Amino acid sequence: EAGVAQSPRYKIIEKRQSVAFWCNPISGHATLYWYQQILGQGPKLLIQFQNNGVVDDSQLPKDRFSAERLKGVDSTLKIQPAKLEDSAVYLCASPFAGINTGELFFGEGSRLTVL
Amino acid sequence: AQSVSQHNHHVILSEAASLELGCNYSYGGTVNLFWYVQYPGQHLQLLLKYFSGDPLVKGIKGFEAEFIKSKFSFNLRKPSVQWSDTAEYFCAVRYNNNDMRFGAGTRLTVKP
């Protein structure tokens, strides 16, 4: 329905290991968001892209998190090295294609467990 | 920093009870307001939205929300809840720079 594809759906790693998540947003839309949703909390914005440029990454822990959207389409979020507190669901979201009203379509999310 | 506050962490109601979930946001000029719902095991879905015009907006499944600009609030209401409304509800605000902020969420449990 939403058209935002994410993978993998689940990932279990040990602390200090690295992990990468992939997102392919709704076709044709320039804006893409990555959110972190820790259990029991609301989604927290990590980074916002407009095409392949970063609009806002003020809440991205840049010492361990990185994200890119090289061709302005799909995006990768990486964590290296992971910490226990990074256990969360990582959500990718895209506005409705062609209309940037703030209404977001979310992917299923990638659930990360750090042991 | 822009922020969104939801007053209730967990609400437990019996079926047919009325619901009101509070949401306040920090000032940031013109905003767009949303309520999203997350049913158990599912992804976030849009419940309703406010962009402009009538401050009382109606969404799916009998939900409505009222925007009170002077109070920076956007409370969600439903006159009579059903067991199937059991879910987590998130208030979200889009600020001028396309920054979308979410509240911490309110878990609603409806007892049959």
Side-chain angles (χ1 to χ4, degrees):
Chain A
E1 173 203 5
V4 179
Q6 288 190 246
S7 67
R9 288 291 310 280
Y10 304 93
K11 189 74 176 178
I12 301 173
I13 61 173
E14 296 187 349
K15 60 183 179 182
R16 291 188 288 274
Q17 288 186 321
S18 62
V19 64
F21 302 113
W22 174 83
C23 170
N24 194 1
I26 292 176
S27 178
H29 209 279
T31 307
L32 181 152
Y33 303 83
W34 281 104
Y35 285 87
Q36 178 194 57
Q37 188 177 15
I38 294 173
L39 185 66
Q41 300 181 19
K44 170 189 163 186
L45 179 67
L46 292 177
I47 189 166
Q48 177 190 341
F49 288 98
Q50 183 77 13
N51 295 309
N52 60 349
V54 175
V55 175
D56 181 0
D57 64 355
S58 56
Q59 298 191 96
L60 187 73
K62 298 181 187 63
D63 57 334
R64 299 182 300 105
F65 285 64
S66 65
E68 60 184 14
R69 195 184 183 200
L70 294 176
K71 297 182 180 179
V73 180
D74 56 347
S75 176
T76 302
L77 176 71
K78 296 179 181 177
I79 307 174
Q80 181 181 12
K83 292 186 175 181
L84 295 176
E85 59 260 36
D86 299 331
S87 293
V89 177
Y90 291 86
L91 299 167
C92 181
S94 173
F96 188 76
I99 303 173
N100 191 10
T101 59
E103 177 180 348
L104 297 182
F105 286 84
F106 285 86
E108 297 281 350
S110 294
R111 182 179 298 276
L112 172 66
T113 302
V114 182
L115 303 176
Chain B
Q2 293 154 341
S3 64
V4 181
S5 300
Q6 291 184 239
H7 312 307
N8 313 99
H9 184 64
H10 190 189
V11 173
I12 303 173
L13 297 172
S14 298
E15 275 195 314
S18 64
L19 169 72
E20 180 160 2
L21 302 181
C23 172
N24 286 89
Y25 63 94
S26 59
Y27 173 75
T30 302
V31 295
N32 298 142
L33 301 162
F34 307 84
W35 276 96
Y36 282 83
V37 60
Q38 190 169 29
Y39 297 105
Q42 297 187 26
H43 59 86
L44 283 157
Q45 302 169 42
L46 183 68
L47 199 56
L48 50 78
K49 59 192 176 188
Y50 172 79
F51 294 154
S52 62
D54 188 345
L56 184 63
V57 293
K58 295 191 184 299
I60 60 172
K61 302 184 181 183
F63 285 91
E64 63 180 32
E66 184 176 12
F67 170 50
I68 303 179
K69 188 175 181 179
S70 60
K71 296 184 178 180
F72 302 103
S73 70
F74 189 56
N75 293 354
L76 180 72
R77 299 195 292 250
K78 185 170 184 179
S80 176
V81 295
Q82 301 173 315
W83 176 78
S84 58
D85 294 324
T86 294
E88 190 137 19
Y89 294 82
F90 295 93
C91 180
V93 179
R94 175 178 177 260
Y95 291 91
N96 282 343
N97 60 352
N98 281 340
D99 186 2
M100 281 284 288
R101 300 280 173 155
F102 284 78
T106 298
R107 182 179 301 277
L108 172 65
T109 301
V110 180
K111 298 185 293 185

